Amino acid sequence: IEKKKVLDLGTIALKEDAKLLDEALVVAEVPPVTASDDTLVYNTAAFRVPEGSMLEELIKRYPGVEIDEDGTIKINGKTVNRILMKGKDFFGTDKDMALKNISVDAVDQVKFYDKKSDFSRVTGIDDGEEETVLDLQMKKGVSDGFFSNTDAGYGTKERYRVQNTTNYYNDVSQYTLVLSANNLNNQGFSDGRGRGFRGGGSGLVAPKQGGFRFAYENSKIELGGNVRANHRDTDSKSWSSSEVFMPQFGSNQFSNRRNNSFGRSSNLNADFRLEWKPDTMTNIIFRPSVSYNSSDNWSQSASATFREDPFDYVKLYEKAMYGDVFDALDSIAINSSNNESMSHNESFSASGNLQVNRRLSKPGRNITFRGNFSYSDSESKSYSVNSVKYYQATAGSAGYDRKRYAATPSKSWNYTLRLSYTEPLAKNLFLQLNYSFNNSYSNSDRSTYIFDELTDYVMSLNHNYLLPGLPPGYEQYRSDSLSRNSVYRTQRHDVQIMFRYVTDKMNINAGISYIPQHTEMSYQYFGIDTLLKRDVYNISPNVRFRYRWSKQTNLIINYRGTTSQPSMTDLLDITDDSDPLNITK
């Protein structure tokens, strides 16, 4: 056999022969809305908005989306509970922080979908608890890096507005800083064109607010949190006149009213989220939050009711430029009321919830512990002066003056412990057993003082609108009829058995709960201590059915039986005449 020889041809050089192609241009219309599973995706490029607009102006233009005066967002009739940014919480339920701070130029897409509860997401079993969210997808170059937007303006009558939003994003973290101040009745930010002036309330409102949020994520842990601070001043004046037609009495009734009010409030809120996955079978979620609020309010009002139209008498007085028009008004008056009040409120609250889930050996088998707690400590002080007159054509007029000072400190705490066990019975069929225990306590001590006899004790207004100090020996003026102390203690058990059937198209949850509850109330009224106890046993069935025909169409039916009892104080003989024209019993 002859061997093949190897022939070496050396190095062969190839000549370059390249051809430059013309550019290829693909032109297509961006679809305004697309659907993916249960998610609606709105493309920002398909909607035209004025340059520099904020997110709210864009959302308003989406088909099927509505934003009412209070800032509530609805998509196809479903209320949006919170706003996310790239899947991460954006200032909790304070949707205005996104609507009035995020520029449209930074947003690529807006997604609407139903976000499952922590329990459903971790266990993989749909518990029917979900909330509709709006998820912002940012443009390239914005979603990775630093960007900031500042807007400021100053006008006549010392009107001003300033706002700044600063963001920093990278692959694992997000940071947002928001600052704003204005005296244009705008809660949050407007788009610079006078739109978005909702939530300001009546009168002139000057809000100031700031917020900071962060989010961090790696393979083992997720961290996130929000801090928000707000301050607002409100100044309001109003006048009103009304006529009630009463043909059965042969004459109508006329009312005039004037109101002046001033208020200021400050609050600080912070919440935090931690999700830790120590191993592939264990998931731990912890969500604490704290809140502090303080407010001062002053109001003054005057009203009167007449048998005849008082405007006719005023016109006669204006023509004559003299006379006893006020005596003439007394002759047609039914009653008049002059009221002045001040109040100061301060409160602190803290809450948190913990969820620990452990997946067991069999797929679909889970054991979950959930704990919730809340604590609040508040105090409310108020001082009011009521002057009421009743007019009688033959006997002149009669009336009275009332001065009330009330202080109501209150404390409450509440915790709930819940244990759930899920067992797969068959394909798509699960049995869930739940037991929860709730324990709550509240203590409210209202002390009311009547200073009707003290003619020299009147409300002393000052530029700070602070409550006047109590006079010497004020304890002797304590009212037993208006002062009361109540202490509530409630213990509640909830034993539930639930069956869940879950497929791609259909979800059925059906179960029944047995709920025994024990309540004790210690009540002090008119110097008498009362102890009431009550035991109730409730049975509550519940069914949730959902069928999905397509990605855009589904049917949801909910049925839940609930039982409630009257308040324990409703069982007591109590009369509240702090408002002489509106006495409750």
Side-chain angles (χ1 to χ4, degrees):
I1 302 174
E2 186 179 355
K3 295 183 179 179
K4 293 183 178 180
K5 295 181 179 181
V6 177
L7 180 63
D8 185 1
L9 298 179
T11 301
I12 300 175
L14 301 179
K15 294 183 179 180
E16 180 179 353
D17 186 11
K19 291 185 178 180
L20 181 64
L21 300 178
D22 293 335
E23 65 178 2
L25 181 62
V26 179
V27 179
E29 183 179 352
V30 177
V33 186
T34 58
S36 175
D37 293 331
D38 59 349
T39 302
L40 286 177
V41 181
Y42 291 84
N43 294 297
T44 302
F47 299 89
R48 294 185 178 275
V49 294
E51 184 179 355
S53 295
M54 295 299 166
L55 180 64
E56 181 180 23
E57 186 65 23
L58 174 67
I59 301 297
K60 289 179 179 178
R61 299 172 185 265
Y62 287 165
V65 177
E66 299 177 356
I67 303 180
D68 64 16
E69 295 181 354
D70 297 326
T72 301
I73 308 173
K74 290 187 176 183
I75 171 71
N76 296 330
K78 300 175 66 174
T79 301
V80 175
N81 299 97
R82 64 181 66 238
I83 294 179
L84 311 179
M85 180 175 288
K86 299 177 64 177
K88 306 301 180 183
D89 193 40
F90 193 89
F91 290 103
T93 57
D94 189 353
K95 295 183 286 295
D96 272 356
M97 294 294 280
L99 293 177
K100 294 183 175 294
N101 289 291
I102 301 300
S103 173
V104 173
D105 297 333
V107 180
D108 182 33
Q109 293 179 333
V110 177
K111 296 182 178 180
F112 288 90
Y113 57 88
D114 292 329
K115 184 181 179 182
K116 297 183 181 299
S117 67
D118 288 337
F119 178 83
S120 297
R121 180 175 56 84
V122 172
T123 63
I125 301 174
D126 190 355
D127 62 356
E129 301 294 333
E130 57 191 17
E131 60 179 359
T132 303
V133 299
L134 184 157
D135 195 350
L136 305 177
Q137 306 300 307
M138 313 307 287
K139 292 180 178 178
K140 292 182 179 180
V142 173
S143 59
D144 295 302
F146 171 88
F147 71 95
S148 181
N149 180 70
T150 302
D151 190 13
Y154 185 83
T156 58
K157 298 185 179 181
E158 299 182 347
R159 297 291 183 259
Y160 68 88
R161 175 176 55 83
V162 60
Q163 67 180 71
N164 172 267
T165 306
T166 302
N167 299 272
Y168 175 76
Y169 302 129
N170 57 36
D171 293 337
V172 297
S173 59
Q174 303 177 14
Y175 303 93
T176 301
L177 176 66
V178 176
L179 300 171
S180 75
N182 71 83
N183 59 357
L184 303 173
N185 291 33
N186 182 19
Q187 297 298 297
F189 304 117
S190 72
D191 58 9
R193 296 166 180 79
R195 292 183 286 264
F197 279 57
R198 64 159 184 273
S202 59
L204 177 63
V205 183
K208 303 170 182 65
Q209 67 177 6
F212 174 77
R213 65 163 302 249
F214 75 97
Y216 171 82
E217 179 181 3
N218 61 27
S219 59
K220 287 280 188 179
I221 196 169
E222 289 186 32
L223 299 174
N226 304 284
V227 179
R228 301 181 300 279
N230 294 274
H231 176 82
R232 57 180 287 174
D233 298 304
T234 306
D235 195 357
S236 174
K237 295 182 179 181
S238 64
W239 297 264
S240 65
S241 299
S242 63
E243 180 179 357
V244 179
F245 298 94
M246 306 172 65
Q248 65 272 31
F249 295 103
S251 63
N252 298 334
Q253 193 175 94
F254 302 84
S255 298
N256 291 340
R257 187 175 186 87
R258 183 187 71 247
N259 294 280
N260 297 327
S261 65
F262 172 81
R264 61 187 177 193
S265 63
S266 302
N267 62 76
L268 176 66
N269 302 280
D271 58 82
F272 178 76
R273 181 182 183 276
L274 165 67
E275 182 170 354
W276 179 38
K277 304 170 186 175
D279 55 57
T280 58
M281 307 293 285
T282 307
N283 182 282
I284 300 173
I285 300 175
F286 180 50
R287 297 174 180 266
S289 64
V290 295
S291 176
Y292 173 78
N293 299 274
S294 177
S295 65
D296 294 282
N297 296 280
W298 168 84
S299 66
Q300 187 181 55
S301 65
S303 63
T305 305
F306 302 92
R307 296 185 183 91
E308 300 178 25
D309 190 348
F311 187 66
D312 294 335
Y313 291 81
V314 174
K315 287 191 297 184
L316 293 174
Y317 174 68
E318 290 175 347
K319 289 181 179 180
M321 297 302 293
Y322 65 90
D324 54 353
V325 64
F326 297 107
D327 293 338
L329 290 179
D330 287 351
S331 66
I332 65 170
I334 299 174
N335 61 56
S336 65
S337 175
N338 288 276
N339 306 299
E340 195 169 3
S341 65
M342 284 184 175
S343 67
H344 173 76
N345 302 279
E346 196 167 358
S347 66
F348 169 80
S349 63
S351 64
N353 60 74
L354 172 68
Q355 175 178 294
V356 181
N357 181 80
R358 178 72 179 178
R359 294 184 180 182
L360 303 180
S361 56
K362 186 177 181 180
R365 181 181 292 168
N366 295 270
I367 184 169
T368 307
F369 169 79
R370 283 173 283 182
N372 301 278
F373 79 91
S374 64
Y375 171 81
S376 67
D377 187 353
S378 63
E379 184 174 17
S380 175
K381 298 178 180 179
S382 64
Y383 178 57
S384 62
V385 177
N386 300 316
S387 178
V388 177
K389 287 185 178 182
Y390 302 105
Y391 297 88
Q392 300 176 2
T394 57
S397 63
Y400 51 82
D401 296 327
R402 286 182 174 176
K403 305 181 183 73
R404 301 285 189 270
Y405 190 103
T408 309
S410 62
K411 290 185 178 181
S412 66
W413 52 259
N414 176 79
Y415 69 84
T416 302
L417 305 177
R418 184 180 181 92
L419 188 64
S420 302
Y421 175 78
T422 304
E423 176 69 23
L425 300 179
K427 183 180 180 181
N428 302 325
L429 180 63
F430 301 88
L431 168 67
Q432 184 174 322
L433 302 176
N434 299 309
Y435 168 74
S436 66
F437 172 73
N438 174 265
N439 193 12
S440 61
Y441 167 87
S442 65
N443 186 342
S444 178
D445 186 8
R446 174 177 175 175
S447 298
T448 303
Y449 305 91
I450 299 177
F451 301 131
D452 298 351
E453 301 175 359
L454 300 181
T455 57
D456 58 340
Y457 183 66
V458 296
M459 188 173 295
S460 55
L461 295 180
N462 53 57
H463 67 282
N464 289 322
Y465 295 96
L466 298 178
L467 284 168
L470 290 171
Y474 67 91
E475 284 291 348
Q476 62 179 310
Y477 299 102
R478 191 176 190 273
S479 169
D480 289 335
S481 63
L482 298 177
S483 301
R484 63 201 64 157
N485 173 267
S486 61
V487 178
Y488 280 90
R489 291 181 175 88
T490 302
Q491 293 181 343
R492 183 174 182 267
H493 303 266
D494 188 344
V495 181
Q496 183 185 68
I497 181 171
M498 179 76 67
F499 291 93
R500 304 187 187 279
Y501 181 74
V502 182
T503 66
D504 293 337
K505 284 187 171 294
M506 186 166 56
N507 187 325
I508 302 176
N509 298 336
I512 190 168
S513 299
Y514 172 65
I515 310 171
Q517 178 175 302
H518 175 75
T519 305
E520 292 185 5
M521 182 187 70
S522 175
Y523 203 80
Q524 188 181 64
Y525 181 56
F526 269 110
I528 300 175
D529 290 328
T530 303
L531 179 62
L532 298 178
K533 296 182 180 181
R534 181 171 63 189
D535 291 286
V536 295
Y537 305 91
N538 298 325
I539 296 179
S540 175
N542 59 86
V543 177
R544 175 182 172 87
F545 171 81
R546 182 175 67 182
Y547 187 83
R548 181 178 298 163
W549 279 287
S550 65
K551 296 179 179 180
Q552 296 84 23
T553 308
N554 62 81
L555 171 67
I556 298 176
I557 300 175
N558 288 302
Y559 168 79
R560 176 171 296 176
T562 60
T563 304
S564 61
Q565 295 75 41
S567 168
M568 298 287 276
T569 54
D570 290 340
L571 307 178
L572 302 176
D573 183 13
I574 299 174
T575 300
D576 187 351
D577 61 351
S578 56
D579 183 353
L581 296 181
N582 183 27
I583 299 174
T584 61
K585 184 176 179 65

